[in-house]
Structure formats: C-alpha cells, structure tokens
Amino acid sequence: MAETWDEEQLIVDGFERVYVELEWYDGPREGIADVNGVPHYFQSHDYDRLDDADEYRVWPASEDALALEREQWSIFARWDERHKAGAVGPDSHPGHGGIDVRYDELTALLVQHRQAPSEVRQLLAQWRFVSGARYRIDGVDYRVKWSPVGECAVDH
C-alpha cells in the first residue's frame, strides 16, 4: 500500500483536489483535478516515467464537462462499493458498455471534452495518497501538486 499523508497538511502544502480518475497505470494517467483551484483535465501517456513527478498535458474543464464527469464518476463509485461488498461481479462494470444506460450516454457526451485541444499546458504532478476509501463519490484517495516542467521540487 502507498504511504498515506495527512490531507489537511497536503492542502496547506498546495496539494489540490482530484475529482475524477479516468485512467490508472502505475499511477494516475488521466482525469480531472484542480490546477490553481480551477478544474482541468490531465493526461499523460508517459508510462516509462515512473518516478515521483510525472509530466502531464492539462487543459481547462468547463463547468458542464465537470458536472457530467462527476455524474459518471458517481455511477462508477457506487458500482465499486457494490463490487467491493461482493454484491456484483466485475462483468457488471458500467464501463463495459450496455450495462448502465446513463453511463453510456455520459461517455458519448464526454468524448469531445476528453480530447486534448491543440493548446495545452505541460505540468509536472506530484501525487500523495490520503487515508480512506480508494474511490469515493466525491473523488479519489489522492491529491496532486502541480509545478512547471523543469521546476519540480519533490518533497518526501
């Protein structure tokens, strides 16, 4: 299990909220998190770089996109709770398609928002886990601190 940090201290130290995790591979790869207090999509496909600070493309998420993403996330998080309780199996995951009509509708509505525009910012991210459930209706069990590429001060 990853080391957990005090969430209140992380907030003081500038770590921001992560709303949605869209992809995970040895760490967060895609999702929505605050950047300077404003929701942004983040995306990284640099799977070879598994050090403490990863480089991401980030771009603003509109209020509408964030609302749709959070609605879809809540469907997944409720499924995950049932799955962990043994009430449903992995074959009922809403992301498989054809299982949850609203989840599928949201997937179609969100395609355009999840595509990085031509103008994106490149930032480095540091991730810190907090205690509690892995997937929550209001987000995930980690926070992020962003810094410009080349200026990341990794704290341990």
Side-chain angles (χ1 to χ4, degrees):
M1 170 150 192
E3 179 180 0
T4 59
W5 301 73
D6 177 70
E7 191 163 17
E8 289 180 24
Q9 186 61 50
L10 289 176
I11 293 168
V12 169
D13 292 343
F15 283 81
E16 299 188 84
R17 179 179 184 179
V18 179
Y19 296 92
V20 173
E21 176 187 286
L22 298 172
E23 184 178 344
W24 177 277
Y25 180 83
D26 287 339
R29 294 294 165 212
E30 294 183 24
I32 297 181
D34 280 342
V35 176
N36 297 321
V38 178
H40 281 67
Y41 280 93
F42 63 85
Q43 186 178 75
S44 171
H45 294 291
D46 190 2
Y47 299 120
D48 294 330
R49 184 175 176 167
L50 299 177
D51 56 12
D52 194 53
D54 294 328
E55 191 170 328
Y56 290 81
R57 298 182 299 172
V58 300
W59 65 95
S62 69
E63 288 182 30
D64 290 340
L66 179 61
L68 295 173
E69 291 284 9
R70 293 186 73 194
E71 181 183 353
Q72 188 176 57
W73 177 260
S74 69
I75 294 169
F76 164 74
R78 284 191 300 275
W79 171 84
D80 187 66
E81 289 172 356
R82 292 189 311 275
H83 180 259
K84 283 188 172 38
V88 297
D91 57 330
S92 67
H93 188 293
H96 292 315
I99 293 170
D100 184 294
V101 173
R102 182 59 180 159
Y103 191 96
D104 294 346
E105 290 171 350
L106 291 165
T107 297
L109 291 170
L110 288 165
V111 167
Q112 64 183 348
H113 299 286
R114 292 177 177 172
Q115 301 301 314
S118 57
E119 297 292 321
V120 298
R121 292 170 56 195
Q122 296 286 130
L123 296 175
L124 291 176
Q126 295 177 59
W127 305 99
R128 296 291 182 265
F129 287 88
V130 297
S131 61
R134 172 78 177 93
Y135 301 124
R136 309 162 184 184
I137 298 295
D138 66 342
V140 293
D141 67 340
Y142 52 88
R143 296 186 72 86
V144 62
K145 184 174 185 178
W146 301 101
S147 56
V149 173
E151 296 181 24
C152 183
V154 176
D155 54 49
H156 294 280

